[in-house]
Amino acid sequence: MAAIAARLITKLVDVQDKYGEATVVLTGGTVGIGTLKAVADSPAAPAVDWSKVNFWWGDERFLASADPERNTKQAFDALLSHISVDPERVHSPGSSDEFDTPEEAAEDYARQLRDAAAAEHAADMSDDRPDEPSALPRLDVVLLGVGPDAHIASLFPEQAGVREKERTVVGVRNSPKPPPLRISLTLPAINTAAEVWMVVVSEDKAGAVGLALAGANPVQVPASGPRGTSRTLWLIDENAASRVPEQLVRKDAAGA
């Protein structure tokens, strides 16, 4: 995880050098939160101007805001409470003590994204500025884990969320992984990002990784769906790569 943390720090510095700020979409789970802790522990972390990093989440569990199972709560404990963040740049999906349903929370999160995109559009003085703001701000890096069933964010095989073509955020019900109620970015939203990083460790994910890299249908294998507009990185350890053809594996990420 230290290797992924170092890569993320370098990327954020590079993006800030270009744009003055950077935007990252975080993920939860053991690897996602472990990576954030490794960022906090890294001696290189101060190279990033954390007050000019915009934080979003790829998905969230529809629980009370203080619930320790919330991805946002875990991210604050691992990283955000240890760095100088601008609270206005931290965009948390809604919780069950703010909204009655995950669909309402999803609509609010989509609104937050639209508002950020509108502000970005208004500040853009370039000659190639589009006439209208998009539904999403610029996303520089999206971090994603992969489940043993090949789910990413809270998009699960065969469910409605992974089939969504229009909306940027969906409410999720009947998640096969507890808790059943969730909020998730959709594949169309994820795939606007410049870079998507698929961060996977452990042998129980190997089948999902192999199917995704073999080009399986995203409806059955959601992990095959994410595509960054600039590049898509698979940062996996040797166990997770055990069912991937040797010619597709770069060894520099092993053991991350």
Side-chain angles (χ1 to χ4, degrees):
M1 294 180 195
I4 301 170
R7 184 187 289 268
L8 181 59
I9 289 168
T10 299
K11 182 62 181 178
L12 294 177
V13 170
D14 290 345
V15 173
Q16 286 186 337
D17 285 345
K18 182 175 182 179
Y19 295 110
E21 62 180 25
T23 298
V24 61
V25 178
L26 304 180
T27 188
T30 302
V31 178
I33 300 304
T35 296
L36 298 185
K37 187 177 186 307
V39 170
D41 293 341
S42 172
V48 179
D49 183 350
W50 294 107
S51 69
K52 293 183 179 178
V53 176
N54 304 302
F55 294 96
W56 299 85
W57 276 262
D59 73 319
E60 185 53 283
R61 298 158 182 182
F62 190 61
L63 300 167
S65 56
D67 194 298
E69 293 301 308
R70 291 258 300 178
N71 291 334
T72 47
K73 175 70 166 62
Q74 294 178 16
F76 268 92
D77 292 345
L79 174 64
L80 301 185
S81 63
H82 303 285
I83 55 178
S84 299
V85 298
D86 178 353
E88 296 296 319
R89 293 179 181 265
V90 179
H91 305 278
S92 303
S95 61
S96 62
D97 43 12
E98 297 173 295
F99 297 95
D100 291 332
T101 68
E103 290 79 14
E104 291 177 357
E107 289 176 8
D108 177 75
Y109 200 45
R111 177 198 56 77
Q112 291 186 55
L113 288 159
R114 286 194 304 271
D115 289 350
E120 191 173 271
H121 181 267
D124 185 358
M125 296 291 104
S126 64
D127 293 336
D128 59 352
R129 166 181 148 169
D131 292 336
E132 297 293 334
S134 71
L136 294 157
R138 188 190 75 247
L139 305 178
D140 299 307
V141 179
V142 171
L143 300 173
L144 292 173
V146 176
D149 62 353
H151 82 268
I152 49 100
S154 284
L155 303 178
F156 294 91
E158 302 285 357
Q159 290 200 345
V162 76
R163 300 175 187 270
E164 179 61 45
K165 302 296 185 184
E166 302 295 332
R167 289 178 291 175
T168 58
V169 188
V170 291
V172 176
R173 293 178 178 269
N174 301 316
S175 162
K177 179 180 179 181
L181 302 182
R182 295 163 173 257
I183 304 147
S184 182
L185 293 184
T186 61
L187 279 175
I190 290 167
N191 289 347
T192 67
E195 296 192 8
V196 174
W197 296 9
M198 310 291 285
V199 183
V200 196
V201 302
S202 79
E203 190 172 1
D204 67 336
K205 315 289 180 64
V209 171
L211 287 170
L213 289 176
N217 188 316
V219 173
Q220 287 79 41
V221 182
S224 69
R227 294 286 186 277
T229 61
S230 174
R231 64 176 177 170
T232 306
L233 296 179
W234 283 81
L235 305 174
I236 58 182
D237 71 355
E238 291 184 358
N239 291 325
S242 62
R243 299 190 192 180
V244 177
E246 181 68 22
Q247 65 268 26
L248 296 181
V249 180
R250 284 182 55 179
K251 296 297 187 181
D252 60 338

